[in-house]
Amino acid sequence: MELPLAIRLGGCFLVGLAAGSLANWAIYRWAWNSRPISPWSDLPEPTLPRRWTDRIPVLGWIGLRRESKLWGPGFWIRPMVLELLAGGGLAWLYWWEVCGTRLLPPSESGPAACPQLLHMQFLAHALLCWLMLVASMIDLDERLIPDTITVPGTLLGLLLAVGYPAVFPRVVDIQLVESAEASFGRGDIRWHPGPLQLSSPYWAGQWPGWLRPYPQLGGLGVAFTCWWLWCVGLMPRTWYTRHGIWRAIVLCWARLWRHPATYRILVVGAAGSLAIGTVWFWAGQGPWLDQPEGAQPTSPAFRWVSLLSSLVGLAGAGLLVWLVRIIATNVLRKEAMGFGDVTLLAMIGAFLGWQPCLIIFLLAPFFGLIFGLFRFLLHSEQEIPYGPFLCLATLLVLIHWQSVWTKAQSYFLLGWWIPTIVALCLALLAGMLMLIQKGKQLLLGRPR
């Protein structure tokens, strides 16, 4: 913070250019149809050797125009623009988050803001934006999001939650001192600033006892359930009910048993379970959040709260998209949403928590509707990738977090009514899709 602002922004711009160059390599390298377009990849044909100047961000693509015969005319324009946007975007994000303290509540923003907190949040959000950029571009190109992006990104979000719990979006939670009277608006209600948690907008000190760490088993059970739900979702499964449920179960089990990816995921699941159990036991050895020592952001209790919040965000966000995918696929009789969208929102949930992901999921269809109408009018294309719109909604919520949380906070006070409302919305979605499908059948079935 002692460096001049111009130097810091210039450094962010240069780092962003390098990150954009790395993103271009990942976009073409991790795609299903891998292509060595990036100058950091080796060409299969030695007739067009790469030069060291080709690896300079932005400027290198001007020299790579000589490869237009291989990749098509104008192929170099998009990656060059992407690197420029990455550089400018990272500098702007630094100015917005660190210099402007726009993501902090008013009570924590301004000159009194903690520089370490600002920079750690900026680093976490920059990593998330880079992962979303790569996932969005591959989804636009190939209509899929590879696990190569979302799986390491999810693990990174969980590690950040344990390593620096304050990295979650900042909120001002409600601390209920006399909960019986506070429910009628007459109790002693205090406002407690801190990172977003599973229990927000209530302070974490008001958590039910069964969610606390060792020796309570309820929180550990929730953590294991969320973790293994994600692991099972990654396993290679097949589900064909043409010949009955029993036959579908047999085929699904046979594929799981024979596929080598199943055993790799089981190893990851076992290692993750051991790490979760370690944090749970470690947090139970010290004071809880209602004591000064336990309320410190670096305390074991705070790390357990952050880890459990990240795991619930991971599972809740992924399960929401997963259920929509199952409902739409069964009603429309075709795949309506790829599983990459499930793992993408799960990754975002590991970084931000379940509350922002619920808002993101409600905002994303508006972006998709605008883009879908535009593509339909120009190209008559009905299938559009959904991942980029989830990422756009995430970026919007992240940038305007304080205003978004201020408006949405009261709705999250509904507590356990929220899953009920979500279930009713999913039922309404199924009914609406069935009506649309019946209407199409009636219209297409009319004699000409």
Side-chain angles (χ1 to χ4, degrees), residues 197-222:
Q197 297 162 3
L198 169 62
S199 60
S200 295
Y202 289 103
W203 182 47
Q206 304 293 331
W207 272 27
W210 63 277
L211 280 180
R212 295 188 179 188
Y214 177 85
Q216 301 296 328
L217 297 176
L220 183 65
V222 171

Side-chain angles (χ1 to χ4, degrees), residues 85 128-129 131-133 135-137 139-140 344-345 348 352 356 359-372 384-400 404:
L85 290 176
L128 177 60
C129 289
L131 292 166
M132 292 193 301
L133 175 63
S136 298
M137 299 308 297
D139 200 14
L140 285 172
L344 175 64
L345 195 60
I348 296 171
L352 303 181
I359 301 172
I360 289 165
F361 187 77
L362 295 176
L363 288 178
F366 293 98
F367 291 100
L369 179 62
I370 296 172
F371 183 82
I384 58 173
Y386 195 61
F389 310 122
L390 290 173
C391 295
L392 282 174
T394 301
L395 191 60
L396 179 65
V397 170
L398 189 62
I399 292 173
H400 299 285
V404 168

Side-chain angles (χ1 to χ4, degrees), residues 226 229 310-322 345-346 349 354 357:
C226 295
L229 179 66
S310 182
L311 285 168
V312 172
L314 155 72
L319 184 61
L320 180 61
V321 185
W322 200 348
L345 195 60
W354 70 270
C357 285

Side-chain angles (χ1 to χ4, degrees), residues 10-155:
C12 287
F13 179 75
L14 294 178
V15 172
L17 291 180
S21 179
L22 180 62
N24 278 321
W25 172 84
I27 289 167
Y28 297 114
R29 180 68 179 84
W30 294 344
W32 181 264
N33 181 27
S34 179
R35 293 168 293 169
I37 293 179
S38 169
W40 295 95
S41 300
D42 295 328
L43 277 176
E45 298 183 12
T47 56
L48 292 173
R50 294 272 170 79
R51 308 165 187 167
W52 70 268
T53 55
D54 297 336
R55 296 179 177 177
I56 301 176
V58 180
L59 298 178
W61 291 102
I62 299 177
L64 285 171
R65 291 181 300 174
R66 64 183 183 273
E67 297 182 2
S68 297
K69 293 182 179 179
L70 290 176
W71 317 118
F75 81 96
W76 52 276
I77 296 177
R78 192 187 83 171
M80 183 178 68
V81 172
L82 188 145
E83 291 177 2
L84 284 172
L85 290 176
L90 189 66
W92 180 87
L93 186 66
Y94 183 88
W95 171 82
W96 181 264
E97 289 199 24
V98 179
C99 302
T101 63
R102 303 295 181 89
L103 300 189
L104 298 182
S107 59
E108 294 184 306
S109 60
C114 175
Q116 182 184 12
L117 169 63
L118 292 173
H119 284 86
M120 285 300 298
Q121 281 196 328
F122 164 72
L123 176 62
H125 298 158
L127 290 172
L128 177 60
C129 289
W130 186 89
L131 292 166
M132 292 193 301
L133 175 63
V134 176
S136 298
M137 299 308 297
I138 295 179
D139 200 14
L140 285 172
D141 289 342
E142 300 189 339
R143 304 296 190 271
L144 60 86
I145 300 175
D147 293 341
T148 315
I149 302 168
T150 55
V151 171
T154 301
L155 298 177

Side-chain angles (χ1 to χ4, degrees), residues 72-305:
F75 81 96
W76 52 276
I77 296 177
R78 192 187 83 171
M80 183 178 68
V81 172
L82 188 145
E83 291 177 2
L84 284 172
L85 290 176
L90 189 66
W92 180 87
L93 186 66
Y94 183 88
W95 171 82
W96 181 264
E97 289 199 24
V98 179
C99 302
T101 63
R102 303 295 181 89
L103 300 189
L104 298 182
S107 59
E108 294 184 306
S109 60
C114 175
Q116 182 184 12
L117 169 63
L118 292 173
H119 284 86
M120 285 300 298
Q121 281 196 328
F122 164 72
L123 176 62
H125 298 158
L127 290 172
L128 177 60
C129 289
W130 186 89
L131 292 166
M132 292 193 301
L133 175 63
V134 176
S136 298
M137 299 308 297
I138 295 179
D139 200 14
L140 285 172
D141 289 342
E142 300 189 339
R143 304 296 190 271
L144 60 86
I145 300 175
D147 293 341
T148 315
I149 302 168
T150 55
V151 171
T154 301
L155 298 177
L156 180 60
L158 295 174
L159 288 174
L160 283 172
V162 178
Y164 196 81
V167 80
F168 268 82
R170 304 292 289 184
V171 297
V172 178
D173 280 347
I174 302 173
Q175 180 181 359
L176 300 179
V177 180
E178 297 177 12
S179 58
E181 296 182 4
S183 60
F184 297 96
R186 298 191 302 271
D188 184 9
I189 299 178
R190 301 175 184 174
W191 300 94
H192 178 82
L196 183 73
Q197 297 162 3
L198 169 62
S199 60
S200 295
Y202 289 103
W203 182 47
Q206 304 293 331
W207 272 27
W210 63 277
L211 280 180
R212 295 188 179 188
Y214 177 85
Q216 301 296 328
L217 297 176
L220 183 65
V222 171
F224 280 163
T225 301
C226 295
W227 172 249
W228 280 103
L229 179 66
W230 179 72
C231 292
V232 171
L234 295 176
M235 292 181 179
R237 309 172 314 280
T238 55
W239 188 255
Y240 302 111
T241 57
R242 301 174 187 173
H243 304 289
I245 299 296
W246 177 249
R247 180 63 176 170
I249 295 174
V250 171
L251 291 176
C252 181
W253 175 255
R255 178 171 174 80
L256 288 173
W257 180 262
R258 297 172 183 174
H259 205 289
T262 301
Y263 302 97
R264 292 195 295 267
I265 295 172
L266 287 175
V267 172
V268 172
S273 299
L274 179 60
I276 292 170
T278 301
V279 176
W280 169 78
F281 181 78
W282 177 39
Q285 305 303 309
W288 183 240
L289 299 177
D290 51 6
Q291 302 178 28
E293 298 83 0
Q296 297 298 321
T298 57
S299 67
F302 224 87
R303 297 181 193 277
W304 169 250
V305 168

